[in-house]
Amino acid sequence: PRASGDEYHLELHLIRKAYEKSSLRLAGPACPAGHTAAHAQFALSKFAPDTSVQHFVVPTQEGKTVLLKSGTGLAQVKVKVDTRTGRIMSWTRGGVELLRSPIRPNFWRVPTDNDGGNKMPKRCAYWKTAADKLSLLSVKPTKDGVNVRYNLPGGQGMLNAKYRLSEVGRLELSMILTPKVKKWMGDIPRVGWLFETHDAFDRVRWFGRRDETYADRKTGSILGLYRSTVERMITPYVRPQENGQRADVRFAEFTAENGAGIRVRAGDAPI
């Protein structure tokens, strides 16, 4: 039986041998023995989101902060939401702070050379600063989390965010963005969350595409489980631009040498 979160894929690889009977020629330097001349991967099952039942803690109000807390001792997780900004200002496990900046919405990414060709930086300029100019409407604790409501700059729509913490210490973030459709606003370059964590969390492990990939250029990279470092994931393009993205990521872990760190997991669809 298929367990929650399990996936199955078939990989086929065409590998060059050192000696070919048909041509009686040895593999040359351009195609050495063992070289993969072609490969393909076929999904035998669809993406499987985690369907395990989660029980979420009830938040408490502490002055200008809403607190979400689960566990005890070294396994205790605390999440603090600032009622003046609606942002997550602190996220600790076992008393150790995981954040160097608040967790906040984000609608922008660094443009690429191709973006310059279609004038994306100018066409979508509204979204570059939209997250920093949100107008907070309310921060409301509920029976299973915290609901936060914002107005987009200029009254051009709304953002509803929700923060929940499970009893086992899993932090869940979700948002519903409902902009007013205006041609001058352009496309939304990115919808997600932005925060900074510790430099020590420089080891990366992820289940997704191996190489730098994007939604329209990814099938040449095999889906699998990989390890790297933050530094090695950066592509040093001559002209600085967005880089390092991995498509179809199911989860990604950022850890320190001792194994401590954070794990980001996809919800209903790969990241």
Side-chain angles (χ1 to χ4, degrees):
R2 185 182 178 192
S4 175
D6 284 356
E7 294 184 50
Y8 298 92
H9 299 263
L10 172 65
E11 289 184 27
L12 301 177
H13 296 261
L14 180 61
I15 300 175
R16 180 72 179 264
K17 291 184 178 181
Y19 183 75
E20 297 180 350
K21 292 183 179 179
S22 59
S23 61
L24 300 179
R25 291 181 299 177
L26 295 177
C31 188
H35 174 76
T36 299
H39 63 73
Q41 186 178 51
F42 302 91
L44 303 182
S45 61
K46 295 182 179 180
F47 168 71
D50 186 359
T51 57
S52 58
V53 177
Q54 298 292 316
H55 299 282
F56 298 97
V57 302
V58 179
T60 58
Q61 186 90 32
E62 295 185 354
K64 296 181 180 180
T65 300
V66 177
L67 175 65
L68 298 166
K69 181 173 67 173
S70 71
T72 59
L74 294 178
Q76 185 177 75
V77 176
K78 289 184 180 181
V79 176
K80 295 181 180 179
V81 181
D82 190 335
T83 59
R84 296 165 297 184
T85 63
R87 296 177 174 181
I88 294 176
M89 58 184 290
S90 177
W91 178 19
T92 64
R93 180 179 176 86
V96 178
E97 180 62 62
L98 300 175
L99 299 179
R100 290 180 57 181
S101 72
I103 299 179
R104 55 203 184 276
N106 177 52
F107 310 122
W108 188 253
R109 59 173 175 77
V110 178
T112 65
D113 282 342
N114 287 343
D115 290 325
N118 63 39
K119 300 182 180 180
M120 172 271 201
K122 181 178 180 180
R123 182 168 48 83
C124 306
Y126 173 86
W127 297 106
K128 184 175 183 178
T129 58
D132 295 327
K133 297 179 179 179
L134 292 171
S135 298
L136 180 64
L137 297 176
S138 64
V139 177
K140 183 180 179 181
T142 67
K143 63 180 181 180
D144 66 345
V146 183
N147 289 341
V148 182
R149 296 174 63 241
Y150 295 99
N151 262 337
L152 289 175
Q156 298 302 320
M158 294 191 64
L159 171 66
N160 292 281
K162 185 161 190 174
Y163 314 137
R164 301 197 294 180
L165 182 67
S166 74
E167 293 179 348
V168 297
R170 180 183 297 178
L171 176 61
E172 180 182 289
L173 308 179
S174 61
M175 72 165 71
I176 299 176
L177 178 64
T178 52
K180 295 180 179 178
V181 180
K182 300 287 183 66
K183 186 176 181 180
W184 61 266
M185 295 170 68
D187 304 319
I188 309 174
R190 176 164 290 165
V191 178
W193 303 93
L194 184 67
F195 65 92
E196 297 175 29
T197 188
H198 297 290
D199 293 341
F201 298 163
D202 63 346
R203 291 159 175 79
V204 190
R205 177 176 176 265
W206 74 97
F207 178 27
R209 300 287 178 179
R210 178 185 58 198
D211 310 299
E212 180 176 326
T213 43
Y214 298 88
D216 60 346
R217 186 180 64 80
K218 63 182 182 180
T219 55
S221 183
I222 291 291
L223 187 73
L225 186 61
Y226 302 104
R227 296 177 184 270
S228 186
T229 64
V230 171
E231 184 176 6
R232 289 206 303 266
M233 294 184 75
I234 296 173
T235 305
Y237 291 114
V238 174
R239 186 200 301 267
Q241 56 190 289
E242 184 195 33
N243 66 87
Q245 176 170 301
R246 267 58 176 178
D248 296 336
V249 173
R250 275 60 169 168
F251 70 81
E253 298 172 347
F254 300 86
T255 58
E257 187 176 3
N258 63 1
I262 60 175
R263 185 187 220 213
V264 180
R265 188 181 182 92
D268 296 331
I271 302 172

